Amino acid sequence: MKILVTGAEGFVGKNLVCALENIQTGKDKTRPAVTVEKIFRYDINNTEKELDAACREADFVFHLAGVNRPKDESEFRVGNVDTASALLELLKKHENRCPVMLSSSLQATLIGRYGEGEYGKSKRAGEELFFEYGRDTGARVLVYRFPNVFGKWCRPNYNSAVATFCHNKAHDLPITVSDPAIELELVYIDDLVGEMLDALEGREHHCEFDGLDTVLCEDGRYCAVPTTHKVTLGEIVDLLDSFTEQPKTLIIPNIPDGSFAKKLYSTYLSYLPKEKVSFPLKVNSDARGSFTELLKTADCGQFSVNISKPGITKGQHWHNTKWEFFIVVSGNGLIEQRRIGDDTVLRFYVSGDEPQAVHMLPGYTHNIINLSDDKDLITLMWANERFDPTHPDTFFCEV
């Protein structure tokens, strides 16, 4: 399949082209039904001759090119209507009836409701060109009205509040929010690209609009990304504040799979300057070795790393409710556990050469012994709860 992407250097275009390249080179094997033979990248610096050649060969067209922040409003029509018309005329010229996708905007839905914005009008006019083209040629036409899109590589201080907020937070710059209660409908770039790949496979999601709400339906005139998020500006800022605190607290906020928080966190990280990509950890050391807390979670405990010097025994305590995993990643050691009130000792010989996870059982006193005479024993530890100095649930008792 030969694929033409207009607006290939834009935010959505870059992400889509990278996804197509991963499929083309076999790095992404999750789309076995898609075979990418060639990708035509078209943007402002390409020539009309190049676009003409691509329109002759293309098996699918993603028309992402457009204008949303021009110096003059007259540029809306040039960027959103005239370019669409030129593309469709070239496809007609070559009698190429391949599927064509148009990137439109929810702003086109506002026409006749909240004023006559030139951007929305130009997007609506572009839509009608595509629908008319489909009626005239029989080509499969997919018109998407995207809400605000966010994710990696989005340009800050341009037309995305999320990109600007993430960039400013990452660079310790102020954020201005006039009304924290203002709600945005957002679509994450990976969800959008996933829908584009679905469209390549002929599995696009169709929709209609009930007022400003998108209603998925099999026979809808429009197409839509099925997963979007409605969040307020205040919620976005609160989440970003928690992300910026992570290097200090070591606490990873709740980021459930598929959640807006997870997607926003990944977006925020993509804006970090070099000096924030790494951060120091507090190492608690003594003659026996060291203990360093690595990461903490909101409700799933914490990770630490323990280094024991040769011949050293650490631990010799037990917990009521707290339990842990010990995973030796370097060196050779012995883990011993004994239930309180019982003389039976459980012994586990552990080695970084054959890593295994050993439970530290509640109600069992336990230790870990470095069996080496000259090498450190390095153990990754996970505890089911964060350490609370006011309630440590840790009691000394030799195994």
Side-chain angles (χ1 to χ4, degrees):
M1 181 179 288
K2 298 178 181 179
I3 300 168
L4 167 60
V5 180
T6 72
E9 294 300 318
F11 165 43
V12 176
K14 285 181 180 179
N15 279 273
L16 177 59
V17 167
C18 282
L20 293 172
E21 287 177 337
N22 285 336
I23 294 173
Q24 182 182 35
T25 57
K27 298 173 185 176
D28 182 356
K29 302 183 185 301
T30 64
R31 299 276 178 168
V34 177
T35 300
V36 179
E37 178 184 349
K38 189 172 184 178
I39 305 169
F40 298 102
R41 302 162 182 82
Y42 180 80
D43 212 283
I44 191 170
N45 293 321
N46 294 100
T47 66
E48 185 176 345
K49 182 178 180 181
E50 290 173 306
L51 180 61
D52 181 87
C55 286
R56 181 178 64 250
E57 296 186 49
D59 300 308
F60 198 107
V61 176
F62 291 103
H63 184 51
L64 307 177
V67 172
N68 51 32
R69 289 286 294 272
K71 294 179 180 179
D72 187 278
E73 286 195 343
S74 63
E75 296 177 39
F76 278 131
R77 179 165 188 86
V78 175
N80 297 328
V81 182
D82 293 352
T83 57
S85 178
L87 170 72
L88 298 177
E89 287 302 318
L90 287 175
L91 290 171
K92 284 183 179 179
K93 168 187 170 183
H94 295 293
E95 298 183 350
N96 186 345
R97 294 179 175 80
C98 71
V100 290
M101 170 270 174
L102 171 67
S103 170
S104 187
S105 167
L106 281 181
Q107 292 294 316
T109 316
L110 301 177
I111 300 303
R113 293 186 176 90
Y114 299 101
E116 296 293 322
E118 291 302 317
Y119 175 66
K121 286 198 292 185
S122 67
K123 283 296 188 182
R124 176 74 71 87
E127 292 177 359
E128 292 307 320
L129 281 177
F130 268 68
F131 286 131
E132 181 180 354
Y133 173 79
R135 289 191 295 269
D136 291 346
T137 66
R140 182 166 142 246
V141 169
L142 311 176
V143 174
Y144 285 83
R145 285 180 172 176
F146 294 129
N148 295 288
V149 187
F150 74 103
K152 66 183 185 300
W153 307 338
C154 187
R155 178 178 168 186
N157 302 306
Y158 185 59
N159 67 340
S160 168
V162 173
T164 301
F165 286 4
C166 287
H167 173 271
N168 285 13
K169 278 293 183 181
H171 292 81
D172 298 320
L173 298 173
I175 289 177
T176 301
V177 178
S178 57
D179 183 358
I182 291 177
E183 186 178 70
L184 301 179
E185 182 175 3
L186 299 166
V187 61
Y188 184 51
I189 187 62
D190 287 5
D191 293 328
L192 189 157
V193 170
E195 171 65 18
M196 296 299 92
L197 299 181
D198 284 346
L200 274 180
E201 296 179 330
R203 299 188 295 109
E204 68 276 2
H205 294 83
H206 287 265
C207 73
E208 288 293 354
F209 292 92
D210 181 9
L212 300 181
D213 294 326
T214 303
V215 181
L216 294 176
C217 53
E218 291 185 3
D219 58 350
R221 185 187 194 206
Y222 295 90
C223 297
V225 180
T227 301
T228 62
H229 303 273
K230 292 185 177 181
V231 292
T232 66
L233 293 178
E235 290 170 336
I236 295 172
V237 173
D238 288 344
L239 282 170
L240 290 175
D241 285 341
S242 71
F243 301 159
T244 59
E245 288 296 307
Q246 193 278 326
K248 303 172 188 175
T249 65
L250 300 182
I251 298 174
I252 300 293
N254 279 322
I255 46 174
D257 191 34
S259 67
F260 173 74
K262 179 180 180 181
K263 298 167 185 177
L264 182 66
Y265 206 164
S266 294
T267 302
Y268 163 74
L269 291 176
S270 72
Y271 291 90
L272 286 182
K274 179 182 177 181
E275 59 269 21
K276 287 191 175 183
V277 173
S278 67
F279 57 91
L281 297 170
K282 181 183 178 182
V283 179
N284 303 286
S285 59
D286 56 27
R288 302 174 303 156
S290 66
F291 178 81
T292 305
E293 293 180 317
L294 301 179
L295 295 173
K296 302 178 182 180
T297 67
D299 54 14
C300 292
Q302 71 175 56
F303 294 87
S304 308
V305 63
N306 182 78
I307 300 177
S308 300
K309 295 295 184 181
I312 291 297
T313 298
K314 283 191 174 184
Q316 305 285 42
H317 58 238
W318 63 281
H319 315 291
N320 283 306
T321 301
K322 182 188 298 183
W323 63 278
E324 301 158 296
F325 278 126
F326 284 8
I327 305 170
V328 169
V329 295
S330 180
N332 295 285
L334 171 65
I335 294 173
E336 296 181 322
Q337 299 189 65
R338 177 177 59 81
R339 191 170 71 177
I340 299 302
D342 194 327
D343 294 332
T344 303
V345 178
L346 310 180
R347 292 184 172 88
F348 303 89
Y349 288 92
V350 288
S351 171
D353 295 331
E354 298 181 7
Q356 57 183 305
V358 183
H359 289 90
M360 299 300 110
L361 305 174
Y364 280 67
T365 186
H366 52 270
N367 63 29
I368 182 166
I369 305 167
N370 188 346
L371 299 179
S372 173
D373 294 328
D374 57 1
K375 293 183 180 179
D376 289 346
L377 180 68
I378 303 175
T379 308
L380 178 65
M381 298 177 172
W382 174 83
N384 70 317
E385 59 186 42
R386 285 184 281 161
F387 178 71
D388 180 359
T390 65
H391 186 68
D393 188 16
T394 301
F395 310 97
F396 175 79
C397 183
E398 291 187 357
V399 175

